[in-house]
Amino acid sequence: MVQVRRRNLLATGGGVFAGKGYGQALAARRWTNILYIHSHDSGRSLEPYDSAVSTPEIAALARSGVLFRQAFSAAPVCSPSRAALLTGQSPHRSGMIGLAHRGFSLNNPRQLLFRDLQKFGYQAVLTGMQHVAADPDTLGYDRNLGYRDENGKWRAEAAIVAPIAERFLDSRPKQPFFLDVGFFETHRDYPDPTQADLDRVRAIPRPLPDTAEIRHDFAAFGASARQLDAGVGRVLRALSRNGYDQNTLVIFVTDHGVAFPRMKCNLTDDGIGTALIMRGPGLAAGHQSDVMVSQIDVFPTVCDYLGILHPSWLTGTSFLPVLRGGQDEIRDAVFAEMTYHAAYEPMRAVRTRRWKYIRRFGDRRQPVLPNCDDSPSKSVWVSAGWRDQVLPEEALYDLTFDPTEHCNLRADPRYHEVLEDMRKRLRRWMQETQDPLLNGPVAAPEGAIVNPVDGQSPKEPTVPA
């Protein structure tokens, strides 16, 4: 027998059937479907967050749903961030401390959100990229509709994934579904920008200088974002024409910051700031929220929305009241981490409404260049001497006066009490979540592929762990 919480949560949302098996539950009431759409390396550089990037379909979704302006990734790395959202745990707790295709893996795939929903009769369907396992067929989807090319490589460009998702929705599935639509965009390499893309660039990512090379690079990102947006629009139109609008919770999320220097793979807000839009029955349409939320809060929120018990492993906090239109804070801090991307670079961070504290572990104080994807923007920094920059072991930033996080207050005696408080918050979280970094350097799994920290490109020769 499946145990669920007895509560009448949303009149038009998911059902609650205490004392019944899930088969009886589904016979008694139609449950809310879930459409989970996620993009790659997009951060908040999408309309409606960033008007310099045109994504009208995503902007339209925001106007009909709830837009979160202060949503944060649990890690600025692809596999760890996605694993955090789908397990409701920090990456080091779920085991996903590096990239799945380089040999890192979850401790327990049964802790994924859709695996829990399968207990209640949901059909879990994958139509694109997932990036939490090297082989998606090991994760437990009921159906993997993804596309492999003639070389056996999984392909997840929007032009491929959107039609697959459309065909699934056009088949009019009767069983409640968890439809996972993962787009490769806006991962590098980007398509060539059009003149319209170039003309639209009025500002470039804020950590970077305004140069011709970087403007062109960001225009190319915009071209990739257009492809992403077209795919999102196709899927949402298929959802509508098949009559699922009124019984589907749509979750649109980006995994972490864009693939530019000091963004992706960094614990600044430019690295961990994400887009999050949710739309569904009973939610506050057109609502914009400044409440601070973490990716690990999505899983418990879905549980509360559907009226089912939280699995024991969840560490996040439900923000269901925000989805109903509330603006009360649900947490006073969010936490983020970086352990492995191409190379080892252990960092942890805590962010409150006003303050950010970042701690680098180990002895290295120079940038780990393989952890920045190759790009024209990266080349600008490398040619200017980026390799020789010195990074602090600790950094404290006042986000009110220094939102770009460039003025480190760690040595300023006026902020000693704030620094001590943030240090304690971070250490307490690491202890409570059993962060292995507390015990020294964290080894990669045997056979994992890791770049030397002194290299420059993630495409340079790697070494097995």
Side-chain angles (χ1 to χ4, degrees):
M1 182 179 72
V2 177
Q3 183 185 15
V4 294
R5 188 181 317 176
R6 183 185 295 275
R7 57 190 303 187
N8 183 18
L9 198 60
L10 290 171
T12 57
V16 182
F17 303 95
K20 296 183 180 181
Y22 70 77
Q24 293 173 286
L26 293 172
R29 186 173 180 182
R30 190 179 184 189
W31 278 48
T32 303
N33 303 308
I34 296 177
L35 172 58
Y36 168 53
I37 306 176
H38 46 104
S39 72
H40 210 172
D41 297 4
S42 306
R44 296 187 189 137
S45 294
L46 302 170
E47 187 183 3
Y49 295 91
D50 187 340
S51 61
V53 179
S54 178
T55 51
E57 301 285 357
I58 296 170
L61 176 64
R63 289 193 296 271
S64 62
V66 180
L67 171 74
F68 289 84
R69 294 194 171 278
Q70 296 296 319
F72 295 95
S73 173
V77 183
C78 304
S79 299
S81 65
R82 295 162 190 268
L85 186 147
L86 288 173
T87 66
Q89 305 171 78
S90 56
H92 65 260
R93 194 173 176 96
S94 74
M96 186 58 77
I97 59 172
L99 295 170
H101 66 281
R102 282 176 168 248
F104 295 83
S105 61
L106 292 166
N107 292 333
N108 186 356
R110 291 187 298 273
Q111 293 181 338
L112 293 165
L113 171 58
F114 67 84
R115 294 291 297 270
D116 196 59
L117 293 178
Q118 286 171 330
K119 302 173 187 176
F120 302 96
Y122 278 77
Q123 175 186 194
V125 179
L126 176 65
T127 61
M129 70 173 303
Q130 41 74 41
H131 217 335
V132 292
D135 180 358
D137 290 333
T138 65
L139 294 176
Y141 290 95
D142 295 294
R143 299 173 66 186
N144 177 7
L145 304 179
Y147 171 75
R148 285 183 187 264
D149 64 18
E150 62 275 9
N151 298 315
K153 180 181 178 181
W154 292 104
R155 299 285 299 277
E157 292 89 343
I160 294 173
V161 174
I164 295 173
E166 282 184 304
R167 287 195 292 272
F168 171 76
L169 292 168
D170 288 343
S171 73
R172 304 297 299 276
K174 303 301 181 185
Q175 187 179 8
F177 57 77
F178 178 94
L179 180 59
D180 188 329
V181 182
F183 293 116
F184 177 78
E185 289 90 354
T186 54
H187 196 284
R188 293 183 182 272
D189 291 323
Y190 302 146
D192 292 333
T194 65
Q195 187 60 49
D197 294 319
L198 292 165
D199 292 343
R200 193 174 182 88
V201 176
R202 290 167 175 67
I204 47 88
R206 61 184 186 175
L208 299 172
D210 187 356
T211 69
E213 300 96 328
I214 293 174
R215 283 197 302 275
H216 190 277
D217 198 15
F218 193 56
F221 168 86
S224 183
R226 280 194 293 104
Q227 295 177 342
L228 164 67
D229 193 59
V232 171
R234 289 186 65 168
V235 175
L236 292 177
R237 283 191 293 276
L239 190 78
S240 178
R241 70 170 174 263
N242 286 291
Y244 292 118
D245 274 17
Q246 302 307 309
N247 70 322
T248 299
L249 174 66
V250 179
I251 304 171
F252 173 82
V253 66
T254 60
D255 52 3
H256 49 66
V258 300
F260 283 75
R262 207 174 182 261
M263 301 183 77
K264 177 181 177 180
C265 291
N266 286 269
L267 298 181
T268 57
D269 279 9
D270 290 312
I272 64 173
T274 66
L276 174 62
I277 302 168
M278 297 177 70
R279 185 189 76 188
L283 305 192
H287 180 56
Q288 295 192 9
S289 174
D290 291 310
V291 172
M292 203 163 50
V293 299
S294 169
Q295 284 177 331
I296 67 170
D297 300 327
V298 172
F299 195 154
T301 302
V302 171
C303 288
D304 282 359
Y305 181 77
L306 297 177
I308 61 178
L309 288 175
H310 294 193
S312 60
W313 61 82
L314 296 188
T315 59
T317 303
S318 170
F319 52 79
L320 181 61
V322 183
L323 293 177
R324 291 168 161 173
Q327 288 283 15
D328 291 338
E329 293 285 357
I330 65 161
R331 51 167 65 244
D332 61 1
V334 294
F335 299 87
E337 64 186 84
M338 165 75 185
T339 307
Y340 284 91
H341 185 245
Y344 182 57
E345 190 176 7
M347 297 181 285
R348 300 293 186 261
V350 54
R351 185 200 195 277
T352 65
R353 178 63 67 178
R354 179 166 182 177
W355 304 100
K356 167 76 71 62
Y357 172 72
I358 301 174
R359 166 80 189 277
R360 302 181 69 88
F361 290 79
D363 298 328
R364 185 174 179 84
R365 295 293 173 264
Q366 288 74 43
V368 180
L369 298 185
N371 284 341
C372 182
D373 293 355
D374 296 338
S375 69
S377 297
K378 177 179 179 177
S379 296
V380 170
W381 272 28
V382 170
S383 63
W386 188 18
R387 181 185 297 276
D388 300 322
Q389 293 286 305
V390 178
L391 303 175
E393 178 182 4
E394 293 182 296
L396 177 69
Y397 300 112
D398 184 338
L399 301 175
T400 298
F401 293 104
D402 180 27
T404 63
E405 298 167 70
H406 279 88
C407 181
N408 185 4
L409 303 175
R410 180 247 177 267
D412 191 324
R414 294 176 297 173
Y415 302 101
H416 176 74
E417 290 185 7
V418 174
L419 177 64
E420 284 299 312
D421 176 63
M422 298 296 276
R423 283 172 172 163
K424 290 177 182 177
R425 283 175 181 260
L426 184 64
R427 185 169 185 82
R428 183 166 58 247
W429 170 74
M430 293 176 68
Q431 291 171 336
E432 291 173 350
T433 57
Q434 299 176 320
D435 192 334
L437 195 54
L438 287 171
N439 300 319
V442 179
E446 184 177 356
I449 303 302
V450 179
N451 284 68
V453 295
D454 291 322
Q456 179 163 309
S457 169
K459 298 178 181 178
E460 290 173 347
T462 58
V463 294

